[in-house]
Amino acid sequence: MSTVEEILNAVRDLPPQEQAEVKRRLEGLLAEPDKAPLDETRQAGDLDQRIQRALYDAGLISEIKPRVKRPRARRPPIKIKGRPLSETIIEDRR
């Protein structure tokens, strides 16, 4: 289950007044103008942080998780002599 689904489930379990408060705070976050033009990936990360801050302030979550870092670039495969390593591994498993 994703973090967003967990948050939505937690909000569904709240009384209607608290659900309205969460909605009001989220709408306030979304209404804030961006300070500078950002690419779509960064905007998504900033939105996530703002949502987490609103949920933290509302007492629905106990911590704000740090932004997920981009995965590192994949390194090129290492050249080896002889049979392919995958064949050796498969043979050893038999």
Side-chain angles (χ1 to χ4, degrees):
M1 179 180 294
S2 74
T3 304
V4 174
E5 289 173 358
E6 290 177 29
I7 292 169
L8 289 174
N9 288 335
V11 171
R12 283 187 192 111
D13 293 339
L14 292 173
Q17 286 179 319
E18 291 182 8
Q19 287 181 359
E21 176 68 15
V22 170
K23 180 179 178 184
R24 184 185 66 75
R25 289 185 182 204
L26 288 174
E27 287 172 347
L29 286 175
L30 296 174
E32 291 178 2
D34 288 345
K35 295 175 183 143
L38 303 170
D39 64 11
E40 191 172 297
T41 306
R42 183 147 179 226
Q43 284 180 351
D46 290 343
L47 176 60
D48 179 61
Q49 291 295 305
R50 293 190 332 223
I51 289 172
Q52 286 190 59
R53 168 56 65 193
L55 293 171
Y56 179 81
D57 291 343
L60 296 175
I61 59 175
S62 60
E63 66 177 310
I64 297 175
K65 295 185 178 180
R67 198 180 289 178
V68 177
K69 295 180 182 178
R70 288 184 180 177
R72 294 182 181 171
R74 190 171 181 179
R75 294 184 179 173
I78 298 171
K79 304 238 183 221
I80 60 171
K81 295 180 181 178
R83 295 187 335 196
L85 185 59
S86 59
E87 287 181 16
T88 305
I89 292 171
I90 291 170
E91 186 176 294
D92 286 348
R93 289 182 181 172
R94 293 182 186 167

